[in-house]
Short mmCIF file of all heavy atoms in Angstrom, two decimals:
data_model
loop_
_atom_site.label_atom_id
_atom_site.label_comp_id
_atom_site.label_asym_id
_atom_site.label_seq_id
_atom_site.Cartn_x
_atom_site.Cartn_y
_atom_site.Cartn_z
N ASP S 67 29.96 17.85 -70.48
CA ASP S 67 30.10 16.45 -70.84
C ASP S 67 28.91 16.02 -71.70
O ASP S 67 27.76 16.31 -71.36
CB ASP S 67 30.17 15.57 -69.59
CG ASP S 67 31.42 15.84 -68.76
OD1 ASP S 67 32.44 16.23 -69.36
OD2 ASP S 67 31.37 15.68 -67.53
N VAL S 68 29.19 15.35 -72.80
CA VAL S 68 28.14 14.93 -73.73
C VAL S 68 28.36 13.47 -74.12
O VAL S 68 29.39 12.86 -73.81
CB VAL S 68 28.14 15.80 -75.01
CG1 VAL S 68 27.83 17.25 -74.67
CG2 VAL S 68 29.48 15.68 -75.75
N LYS S 69 27.36 12.90 -74.79
CA LYS S 69 27.45 11.54 -75.31
C LYS S 69 27.63 11.60 -76.83
O LYS S 69 26.96 12.37 -77.51
CB LYS S 69 26.16 10.76 -75.00
CG LYS S 69 25.88 10.57 -73.50
CD LYS S 69 26.81 9.57 -72.87
CE LYS S 69 26.42 9.29 -71.43
NZ LYS S 69 27.34 8.32 -70.78
N GLU S 70 28.52 10.77 -77.35
CA GLU S 70 28.76 10.70 -78.79
C GLU S 70 28.65 9.24 -79.23
O GLU S 70 29.08 8.32 -78.50
CB GLU S 70 30.15 11.23 -79.13
CG GLU S 70 30.54 11.15 -80.60
CD GLU S 70 29.59 11.89 -81.52
OE1 GLU S 70 29.18 13.02 -81.17
OE2 GLU S 70 29.23 11.33 -82.57
N ILE S 71 28.04 9.00 -80.40
CA ILE S 71 27.89 7.63 -80.91
C ILE S 71 29.26 6.98 -81.03
O ILE S 71 30.19 7.55 -81.61
CB ILE S 71 27.17 7.65 -82.27
CG1 ILE S 71 25.72 8.07 -82.11
CG2 ILE S 71 27.24 6.26 -82.93
CD1 ILE S 71 24.96 8.21 -83.41
N ASP S 72 29.38 5.78 -80.49
CA ASP S 72 30.63 5.04 -80.54
C ASP S 72 30.53 3.82 -81.45
O ASP S 72 31.49 3.07 -81.60
CB ASP S 72 31.04 4.60 -79.12
CG ASP S 72 32.52 4.29 -79.02
OD1 ASP S 72 33.33 4.96 -79.71
OD2 ASP S 72 32.88 3.35 -78.27
N SER S 73 29.35 3.59 -82.03
CA SER S 73 29.14 2.47 -82.95
C SER S 73 29.49 2.92 -84.36
O SER S 73 29.19 4.04 -84.77
CB SER S 73 27.68 2.01 -82.93
OG SER S 73 27.32 1.55 -81.65
N LYS S 74 30.14 2.04 -85.11
CA LYS S 74 30.40 2.30 -86.52
C LYS S 74 29.22 1.76 -87.33
O LYS S 74 28.95 0.56 -87.30
CB LYS S 74 31.71 1.64 -86.94
CG LYS S 74 32.93 2.27 -86.26
CD LYS S 74 34.22 1.61 -86.74
CE LYS S 74 35.43 2.27 -86.08
NZ LYS S 74 36.70 1.64 -86.53
N VAL S 75 28.53 2.65 -88.02
CA VAL S 75 27.28 2.31 -88.70
C VAL S 75 27.50 2.24 -90.21
O VAL S 75 28.13 3.12 -90.81
CB VAL S 75 26.18 3.34 -88.38
CG1 VAL S 75 24.90 3.02 -89.15
CG2 VAL S 75 25.92 3.39 -86.88
N VAL S 76 26.96 1.18 -90.82
CA VAL S 76 26.94 1.05 -92.28
C VAL S 76 25.48 0.97 -92.71
O VAL S 76 24.74 0.09 -92.26
CB VAL S 76 27.70 -0.19 -92.78
CG1 VAL S 76 27.57 -0.31 -94.29
CG2 VAL S 76 29.16 -0.13 -92.38
N LEU S 77 25.06 1.89 -93.57
CA LEU S 77 23.70 1.88 -94.12
C LEU S 77 23.75 1.16 -95.46
O LEU S 77 24.45 1.59 -96.38
CB LEU S 77 23.20 3.31 -94.33
CG LEU S 77 23.22 4.24 -93.11
CD1 LEU S 77 22.78 5.64 -93.51
CD2 LEU S 77 22.32 3.70 -92.00
N ALA S 78 23.02 0.06 -95.57
CA ALA S 78 23.06 -0.76 -96.78
C ALA S 78 21.67 -0.84 -97.40
O ALA S 78 20.72 -1.26 -96.74
CB ALA S 78 23.57 -2.16 -96.47
N THR S 79 21.57 -0.43 -98.66
CA THR S 79 20.27 -0.33 -99.30
C THR S 79 20.16 -1.25 -100.51
O THR S 79 21.10 -1.39 -101.29
CB THR S 79 20.01 1.12 -99.74
OG1 THR S 79 19.76 1.91 -98.58
CG2 THR S 79 18.81 1.23 -100.65
N ILE S 80 18.98 -1.86 -100.64
CA ILE S 80 18.63 -2.65 -101.82
C ILE S 80 18.09 -1.68 -102.87
O ILE S 80 17.07 -1.01 -102.65
CB ILE S 80 17.58 -3.73 -101.48
CG1 ILE S 80 18.01 -4.57 -100.26
CG2 ILE S 80 17.32 -4.61 -102.70
CD1 ILE S 80 19.27 -5.37 -100.46
N LEU S 81 18.76 -1.60 -104.02
CA LEU S 81 18.32 -0.70 -105.09
C LEU S 81 17.06 -1.23 -105.77
O LEU S 81 16.85 -2.43 -105.79
CB LEU S 81 19.45 -0.56 -106.13
CG LEU S 81 20.76 0.03 -105.60
CD1 LEU S 81 21.83 -0.01 -106.70
CD2 LEU S 81 20.57 1.45 -105.11
N ARG S 82 16.16 -0.36 -106.34
CA ARG S 82 16.26 1.08 -106.44
C ARG S 82 15.30 1.79 -105.51
O ARG S 82 15.51 2.93 -105.13
CB ARG S 82 15.97 1.50 -107.90
CG ARG S 82 14.53 1.27 -108.32
CD ARG S 82 14.21 1.74 -109.73
NE ARG S 82 12.90 1.19 -110.07
CZ ARG S 82 12.05 1.80 -110.88
NH1 ARG S 82 12.36 2.96 -111.43
NH2 ARG S 82 10.89 1.23 -111.16
N ALA S 83 14.23 1.08 -105.13
CA ALA S 83 13.19 1.70 -104.30
C ALA S 83 13.72 2.17 -102.96
O ALA S 83 13.15 3.05 -102.33
CB ALA S 83 12.03 0.72 -104.09
#
Side-chain angles (χ1 to χ4, degrees):
D67 295 330
V68 297
K69 298 287 186 181
E70 178 58 43
I71 292 176
D72 201 35
S73 299
K74 294 182 178 180
V75 177
V76 177
L77 305 176
T79 288
I80 309 296
L81 299 175
R82 68 177 168 149

